[in-house]
Amino acid sequence: MAEDLRHRLRFAASLTFCGLLADFGYVMVEAAARFSLDKRWPEAAAYFVLGLWSMFAAFRGASLRVQRELRHGR
């Protein structure tokens, strides 16, 4: 019983972390848009790449975590 609860909490925590990472990526892409409006291209490019990388990492991490759960039948 305790092991199942611990497993569910770890699963929820990992998906929560992935969600926070995706939110961070979204904020970075918004910042890139603001920098591009000010014609600050190097900063805009850096923030855009960081934002896209963060969102990709978040969705890939969540996808792998869910696939692992489905594979093990929990």
Side-chain angles (χ1 to χ4, degrees):
M1 178 74 174
E3 183 65 33
D4 186 49
L5 179 61
R6 186 178 311 129
H7 175 76
R8 287 177 189 255
L9 287 175
R10 288 184 69 200
F11 179 69
S14 66
L15 290 185
T16 301
F17 176 75
C18 288
L20 290 173
L21 188 59
D23 288 342
F24 173 76
Y26 180 76
V27 168
M28 290 296 107
V29 170
E30 277 189 345
R34 289 195 185 108
F35 281 130
S36 69
L37 289 175
D38 294 338
K39 306 285 191 226
R40 295 170 60 186
W41 302 116
E43 292 95 339
Y47 277 68
F48 186 74
V49 169
L50 179 63
L52 286 184
W53 179 84
S54 297
M55 287 189 280
F56 172 76
F59 293 130
R60 182 68 179 151
S63 165
L64 291 174
R65 183 70 171 145
V66 169
Q67 286 176 7
R68 187 180 334 154
E69 290 296 311
L70 292 174
R71 196 175 319 123
H72 292 297
R74 294 183 187 172

